[in-house]
Amino acid sequence: MIPLLRAEEISLRFGGLQALDRVSFDLYEGEVHSLVGHNGAGKTTFIRVLSGVYTPQEGRILIRVGQELREVRFGSPRDAQRHGIETIHQNLALADNLDAVANVFLGRERVHRFSLDEEAMEAEARRVLERVGARLSSFRVPVHRLSGGQRQAVAIARALLFRARILIMDEPTAALGPGETARVKALIRSLREEGLGVILISHDLHDVFDLSDRITVMKGGRVVGTVRAQESNQEEILGMILAGERRG
């Protein structure tokens, strides 16, 4: 089976700091692959490489095109987006004073005869927001008035509208209550069923095991190991995080 994405031997230095050291990682269609580790483990730096924020000094990124892998180079996040990679950051990067429709199209608005095509944007936004099960009383209220789960749905809808195949989600259930956490988890499962590949970054191992097909542990900018969630447990993952090595 050909992965949607493969990173091979990615290394990145900031001056004398080795931020990433030969990191390899892959993601398949219809898979949730989690990245875990303490703060400073290299998770955020690595996903910034995958999302086009940083360019590695060594290694390569390959994306599935048809039935083959092709090497790609990202000079910016827009380059990653053009290859179907969308990132939903922990802060969601929403414009709080704008409504759900404006946020779905933020930075990529539809224009018709030199003005915004509000009607077309609202129709498309409604369709994709309904697809992700966003329970909004109005699509035209500022998003700062929405709940955490609703805001998460708006951010996901924005990614799906532009045909993401790979979704990077950074702490998607952070600061959510139990009910909204359950809804976001159900949405992630539905995305997996649709064939998207999801890279999940989370400190909550309960969520990680609840959602993941595979789990990769990082420490000190390196990959400690990758395990199948069904063949592992929280004790093993915590041991890898703390010790920086896989035992047994």
Side-chain angles (χ1 to χ4, degrees):
M1 191 180 201
I2 303 170
L4 288 174
L5 174 146
R6 173 168 287 160
E8 296 181 346
E9 301 284 311
I10 298 293
S11 293
L12 179 64
R13 293 176 296 278
F14 297 112
L17 173 66
Q18 186 76 46
L20 297 174
D21 187 4
R22 294 169 293 172
V23 173
S24 293
F25 180 92
D26 56 21
L27 177 72
Y28 288 85
E29 184 176 335
E31 178 183 42
V32 177
H33 190 161
S34 288
L35 274 174
V36 300
H38 285 314
N39 290 336
K43 308 184 301 298
T44 298
T45 302
F46 180 59
I47 65 170
R48 285 177 177 170
V49 168
L50 298 182
S51 60
V53 176
Y54 297 146
T55 301
Q57 283 103 4
E58 298 171 22
R60 60 181 189 157
I61 298 170
L62 302 104
I63 296 288
R64 192 177 82 187
V65 179
Q67 293 302 309
E68 65 178 19
L69 286 173
R70 294 184 185 173
E71 185 175 356
V72 293
R73 294 185 180 276
F74 301 148
S76 70
R78 282 294 176 93
D79 290 342
Q81 290 169 341
R82 279 192 284 269
H83 286 88
I85 300 174
E86 293 278 351
T87 303
I88 300 176
H89 299 282
Q90 187 173 354
N91 66 6
L92 302 182
L94 298 177
D96 283 344
N97 61 314
L98 300 180
D99 60 33
V101 175
N103 270 282
V104 166
F105 282 93
L106 194 63
R108 291 180 279 193
E109 291 81 3
R110 299 274 192 261
V111 177
H112 178 65
R113 293 182 179 177
F114 308 106
S115 63
L116 293 180
D117 193 340
E118 297 280 2
E119 185 176 340
M121 288 195 297
E122 180 164 348
E124 287 189 67
R126 281 180 177 274
R127 188 187 75 251
V128 72
L129 285 163
E130 288 169 359
R131 174 184 168 191
V132 300
R135 303 176 181 179
L136 307 183
S137 58
S138 170
F139 291 93
R140 288 300 188 179
V141 300
V143 295
H144 72 79
R145 292 170 54 185
L146 303 181
S147 68
Q150 290 171 327
R151 289 164 58 84
Q152 187 72 247
V154 171
I156 293 170
R158 180 172 59 195
L160 296 182
L161 183 66
F162 295 98
R163 299 179 181 176
R165 295 189 301 154
I166 297 160
L167 200 57
I168 301 172
M169 304 187 74
D170 188 4
E171 302 286 354
T173 61
L176 298 183
E180 293 214 304
T181 293
R183 283 193 285 274
V184 170
K185 285 182 177 182
L187 177 51
I188 292 171
R189 293 188 187 101
S190 72
L191 297 174
R192 174 171 57 190
E193 290 170 5
E194 289 183 23
L196 272 74
V198 178
I199 301 174
L200 176 66
I201 295 88
S202 179
H203 285 94
D204 189 327
L205 289 185
H206 179 75
D207 285 356
V208 166
F209 274 92
D210 199 22
L211 292 167
S212 303
D213 298 288
R214 289 188 295 157
I215 303 166
T216 289
V217 178
M218 293 186 68
K219 185 180 177 71
R222 297 183 178 184
V223 169
V224 176
T226 299
V227 300
R228 294 199 172 275
Q230 290 185 338
E231 299 170 359
S232 185
N233 54 54
Q234 291 192 32
E235 183 178 359
E236 180 184 21
I237 296 299
L238 281 171
M240 293 168 68
I241 290 171
L242 293 171
E245 61 183 11
R246 187 175 179 186
R247 297 174 179 174

PDB file of all heavy atoms in Angstrom, residues 40 59 77 117 130 147 158 190 214 222 226 237:
ATOM      1  N   GLY A  40       9.076  20.043  23.644  1.00  0.00           N
ATOM      2  CA  GLY A  40      10.478  20.064  23.235  1.00  0.00           C
ATOM      3  C   GLY A  40      10.930  18.789  22.565  1.00  0.00           C
ATOM      4  O   GLY A  40      12.094  18.677  22.170  1.00  0.00           O
ATOM      5  N   GLY A  59      17.108  15.310   4.227  1.00  0.00           N
ATOM      6  CA  GLY A  59      15.936  14.464   4.122  1.00  0.00           C
ATOM      7  C   GLY A  59      14.992  14.936   3.039  1.00  0.00           C
ATOM      8  O   GLY A  59      15.224  15.943   2.358  1.00  0.00           O
ATOM      9  N   PRO A  77       3.661  27.539   3.474  1.00  0.00           N
ATOM     10  CA  PRO A  77       2.454  26.755   3.763  1.00  0.00           C
ATOM     11  C   PRO A  77       1.530  26.617   2.553  1.00  0.00           C
ATOM     12  O   PRO A  77       0.849  25.599   2.415  1.00  0.00           O
ATOM     13  CB  PRO A  77       1.796  27.550   4.895  1.00  0.00           C
ATOM     14  CG  PRO A  77       2.940  28.196   5.608  1.00  0.00           C
ATOM     15  CD  PRO A  77       3.889  28.586   4.500  1.00  0.00           C
ATOM     16  N   ASP A 117     -18.092  37.083  -3.868  1.00  0.00           N
ATOM     17  CA  ASP A 117     -19.292  36.343  -4.245  1.00  0.00           C
ATOM     18  C   ASP A 117     -19.895  35.738  -2.977  1.00  0.00           C
ATOM     19  O   ASP A 117     -19.732  34.556  -2.678  1.00  0.00           O
ATOM     20  CB  ASP A 117     -18.944  35.248  -5.260  1.00  0.00           C
ATOM     21  CG  ASP A 117     -20.182  34.663  -5.928  1.00  0.00           C
ATOM     22  OD1 ASP A 117     -21.278  34.817  -5.365  1.00  0.00           O
ATOM     23  OD2 ASP A 117     -20.027  34.032  -6.990  1.00  0.00           O
ATOM     24  N   GLU A 130     -22.179  21.546   7.182  1.00  0.00           N
ATOM     25  CA  GLU A 130     -23.144  20.483   7.449  1.00  0.00           C
ATOM     26  C   GLU A 130     -22.486  19.113   7.339  1.00  0.00           C
ATOM     27  O   GLU A 130     -22.806  18.190   8.085  1.00  0.00           O
ATOM     28  CB  GLU A 130     -24.330  20.599   6.489  1.00  0.00           C
ATOM     29  CG  GLU A 130     -25.231  21.787   6.819  1.00  0.00           C
ATOM     30  CD  GLU A 130     -26.255  22.084   5.733  1.00  0.00           C
ATOM     31  OE1 GLU A 130     -26.252  21.363   4.705  1.00  0.00           O
ATOM     32  OE2 GLU A 130     -27.031  23.043   5.917  1.00  0.00           O
ATOM     33  N   SER A 147     -19.087  27.861  20.542  1.00  0.00           N
ATOM     34  CA  SER A 147     -18.432  27.010  21.539  1.00  0.00           C
ATOM     35  C   SER A 147     -17.116  26.479  20.970  1.00  0.00           C
ATOM     36  O   SER A 147     -16.840  26.581  19.765  1.00  0.00           O
ATOM     37  CB  SER A 147     -19.339  25.838  21.897  1.00  0.00           C
ATOM     38  OG  SER A 147     -19.461  24.953  20.793  1.00  0.00           O
ATOM     39  N   ARG A 158     -12.952  24.428   6.956  1.00  0.00           N
ATOM     40  CA  ARG A 158     -12.078  25.235   6.097  1.00  0.00           C
ATOM     41  C   ARG A 158     -11.059  24.351   5.385  1.00  0.00           C
ATOM     42  O   ARG A 158     -10.789  24.524   4.194  1.00  0.00           O
ATOM     43  CB  ARG A 158     -11.366  26.295   6.939  1.00  0.00           C
ATOM     44  CG  ARG A 158     -10.435  27.195   6.136  1.00  0.00           C
ATOM     45  CD  ARG A 158      -9.925  28.340   6.990  1.00  0.00           C
ATOM     46  NE  ARG A 158      -9.193  27.888   8.159  1.00  0.00           N
ATOM     47  CZ  ARG A 158      -8.898  28.660   9.204  1.00  0.00           C
ATOM     48  NH1 ARG A 158      -9.307  29.914   9.233  1.00  0.00           N
ATOM     49  NH2 ARG A 158      -8.221  28.187  10.216  1.00  0.00           N
ATOM     50  N   SER A 190     -14.990  10.094  11.472  1.00  0.00           N
ATOM     51  CA  SER A 190     -15.690  10.181  10.182  1.00  0.00           C
ATOM     52  C   SER A 190     -14.735  10.604   9.078  1.00  0.00           C
ATOM     53  O   SER A 190     -14.848  10.134   7.940  1.00  0.00           O
ATOM     54  CB  SER A 190     -16.874  11.146  10.290  1.00  0.00           C
ATOM     55  OG  SER A 190     -16.452  12.491  10.385  1.00  0.00           O
ATOM     56  N   ARG A 214      -1.896   4.154  14.568  1.00  0.00           N
ATOM     57  CA  ARG A 214      -0.485   4.026  14.967  1.00  0.00           C
ATOM     58  C   ARG A 214      -0.077   5.229  15.798  1.00  0.00           C
ATOM     59  O   ARG A 214      -0.675   6.301  15.690  1.00  0.00           O
ATOM     60  CB  ARG A 214       0.425   3.906  13.738  1.00  0.00           C
ATOM     61  CG  ARG A 214       0.299   2.575  13.004  1.00  0.00           C
ATOM     62  CD  ARG A 214       1.348   2.440  11.913  1.00  0.00           C
ATOM     63  NE  ARG A 214       1.153   3.441  10.863  1.00  0.00           N
ATOM     64  CZ  ARG A 214       2.107   3.857  10.040  1.00  0.00           C
ATOM     65  NH1 ARG A 214       3.354   3.405  10.182  1.00  0.00           N
ATOM     66  NH2 ARG A 214       1.840   4.733   9.096  1.00  0.00           N
ATOM     67  N   ARG A 222      14.195  13.225  17.884  1.00  0.00           N
ATOM     68  CA  ARG A 222      14.321  11.933  17.215  1.00  0.00           C
ATOM     69  C   ARG A 222      13.061  11.097  17.401  1.00  0.00           C
ATOM     70  O   ARG A 222      12.311  11.300  18.336  1.00  0.00           O
ATOM     71  CB  ARG A 222      15.512  11.147  17.789  1.00  0.00           C
ATOM     72  CG  ARG A 222      16.859  11.810  17.573  1.00  0.00           C
ATOM     73  CD  ARG A 222      17.958  10.922  18.103  1.00  0.00           C
ATOM     74  NE  ARG A 222      19.278  11.491  17.880  1.00  0.00           N
ATOM     75  CZ  ARG A 222      20.418  10.877  18.179  1.00  0.00           C
ATOM     76  NH1 ARG A 222      20.387   9.658  18.735  1.00  0.00           N
ATOM     77  NH2 ARG A 222      21.571  11.466  17.929  1.00  0.00           N
ATOM     78  N   THR A 226       7.666   3.590  16.627  1.00  0.00           N
ATOM     79  CA  THR A 226       6.278   3.626  16.166  1.00  0.00           C
ATOM     80  C   THR A 226       5.624   2.301  16.488  1.00  0.00           C
ATOM     81  O   THR A 226       6.204   1.238  16.222  1.00  0.00           O
ATOM     82  CB  THR A 226       6.205   3.896  14.650  1.00  0.00           C
ATOM     83  OG1 THR A 226       6.790   5.177  14.369  1.00  0.00           O
ATOM     84  CG2 THR A 226       4.771   3.881  14.153  1.00  0.00           C
ATOM     85  N   ILE A 237       3.823   3.427  26.088  1.00  0.00           N
ATOM     86  CA  ILE A 237       4.072   4.731  25.476  1.00  0.00           C
ATOM     87  C   ILE A 237       4.728   5.682  26.475  1.00  0.00           C
ATOM     88  O   ILE A 237       5.683   6.398  26.139  1.00  0.00           O
ATOM     89  CB  ILE A 237       2.764   5.327  24.932  1.00  0.00           C
ATOM     90  CG1 ILE A 237       2.202   4.450  23.811  1.00  0.00           C
ATOM     91  CG2 ILE A 237       2.988   6.752  24.436  1.00  0.00           C
ATOM     92  CD1 ILE A 237       3.108   4.300  22.615  1.00  0.00           C
TER      93      ILE A 237
END
